[in-house]
Amino acid sequence: AHDGVVTAKELYFTQDLPVDQGGVVMVNGYLYGFSSAVLNCVDLATGKRVWRDRSVGSGSLIYADGRLYLLSASFTVGLVEATSNGYRERGRFTIADRGQPSYAHPVLSGGQLYIRNWDELTAYDVNAKQVAYSIQAPR
């Protein structure tokens, strides 16, 4: 801002990361996000795609402790290293099909990974890799 006026200049334009849903996270100068059911890693400085992978399919993601936690609309939870050196999956599991795609973002807090799937919330201990508890809304 100069004298109260804000100006912007486009540095580049790219379609390498046209996010469908689920947001984008930035880690160490790289953007990670889904586009057309593909997880992409894009260099923020240049706008160039570094890698892409079909991964868990279209979904949402968060970042914590060097990893991307993914939740696909088709009921798969994935764990991927947040690195520009290629797609490095460290694990995945499926959650119940509740009849409709799951679009919630995963949440990580206090060592617990929270996955909401419509009327059900399940917590996973990310250290022990087991279900801690599950809450289902009354029908």
Side-chain angles (χ1 to χ4, degrees), residues 25 35 40 45 48 51 54 81 85 100 121 128 135-136 138:
V25 296
S35 177
N40 294 278
K48 301 291 183 202
W51 58 257
R54 304 268 329 141
E81 286 186 27
N85 295 325
Q100 298 180 54
L121 176 67
I135 302 169
Q136 187 169 351

Side-chain angles (χ1 to χ4, degrees), residues 4-49:
V5 176
V6 176
T7 58
K9 181 176 100 173
E10 183 177 291
L11 298 177
Y12 58 80
F13 176 84
T14 182
Q15 291 189 348
D16 282 342
L17 192 63
V19 178
D20 295 334
Q21 66 185 41
V24 172
V25 296
M26 183 179 73
V27 180
N28 298 325
Y30 293 91
L31 299 172
Y32 300 89
F34 289 100
S35 177
S36 301
V38 173
L39 182 62
N40 294 278
C41 173
V42 173
D43 185 335
L44 177 63
T46 65
K48 301 291 183 202
R49 183 184 303 126

Side-chain angles (χ1 to χ4, degrees), residues 29-97:
Y30 293 91
L31 299 172
Y32 300 89
F34 289 100
S35 177
S36 301
V38 173
L39 182 62
N40 294 278
C41 173
V42 173
D43 185 335
L44 177 63
T46 65
K48 301 291 183 202
R49 183 184 303 126
V50 178
W51 58 257
R52 61 185 294 176
D53 194 277
R54 304 268 329 141
S55 184
V56 298
S58 185
S60 56
L61 74 160
I62 59 170
Y63 167 80
D65 302 323
R67 296 188 172 112
L68 302 172
Y69 291 81
L70 316 172
L71 175 58
S72 78
S74 58
F75 320 109
T76 302
V77 177
L79 182 65
V80 175
E81 286 186 27
T83 177
S84 60
N85 295 325
Y87 181 81
R88 295 182 183 168
E89 187 172 301
R90 293 300 176 219
R92 70 169 60 195
F93 62 91
T94 58
I95 59 175
D97 181 340

Side-chain angles (χ1 to χ4, degrees), residues 67 79 90 124-131:
R67 296 188 172 112
L79 182 65
R90 293 300 176 219
Y124 299 87
D125 182 331
V126 295
N127 297 320
K129 300 194 181 8
Q130 64 187 13
V131 175

